[in-house]
Amino acid sequence: MTTFTTRITAMYTLQQPDPNYVVNAIWEVTGVDGANTASIGGNTQFNSADQEGAFIPYASLTEAVVLSWIPESAITSAQQCVQGQIDSMITPPVSPANTALPWSA
């Protein structure tokens, strides 16, 4: 069973409409299944027109708050990609081999 974690790795800000207004969060989903680990990065852009709720000053932000801004569908999609990577580690895909032609010795 794969255990997933999501973390924010960077944030980009503008000084409008408020000081240090977050306009982009860079994040990473990591999956661990036994000895197999895989990860994928993503980023989510924010627009002040889409803001819901009160502005939270930059210094008061927590990782959990910023993670809550990322659409659940983006996290789920990233987890599915990570699971695919882990599945390929557990059961590597079979690749065809370029085999010498039987009539050429």
Side-chain angles (χ1 to χ4, degrees):
M1 171 152 175
T2 304
T3 302
F4 295 102
T5 56
T6 305
R7 64 187 188 98
I8 302 296
T9 58
M11 293 193 299
Y12 292 85
T13 62
L14 292 175
Q15 298 310 306
Q16 311 237 333
D18 294 288
N20 292 321
Y21 191 90
V22 177
V23 294
N24 194 3
I26 310 301
W27 45 272
E28 180 180 61
V29 170
T30 301
V32 178
D33 183 347
N36 301 297
T37 301
S39 63
I40 190 169
N43 75 74
T44 301
Q45 296 183 1
F46 309 106
N47 183 320
S48 61
D50 299 328
Q51 179 179 328
E52 295 177 8
F55 173 75
I56 302 171
Y58 191 84
S60 298
L61 290 174
T62 64
E63 187 172 41
V65 167
V66 178
L67 286 171
S68 75
W69 298 345
I70 300 169
E72 191 175 327
S73 61
I75 301 292
T76 300
S77 178
Q79 288 176 343
Q80 290 169 344
C81 289
V82 168
Q83 186 63 58
Q85 293 176 37
I86 290 173
D87 291 347
S88 291
M89 291 176 203
I90 294 170
T91 308
V94 177
S95 299
N98 183 355
T99 307
L101 300 172
W103 54 87
S104 61

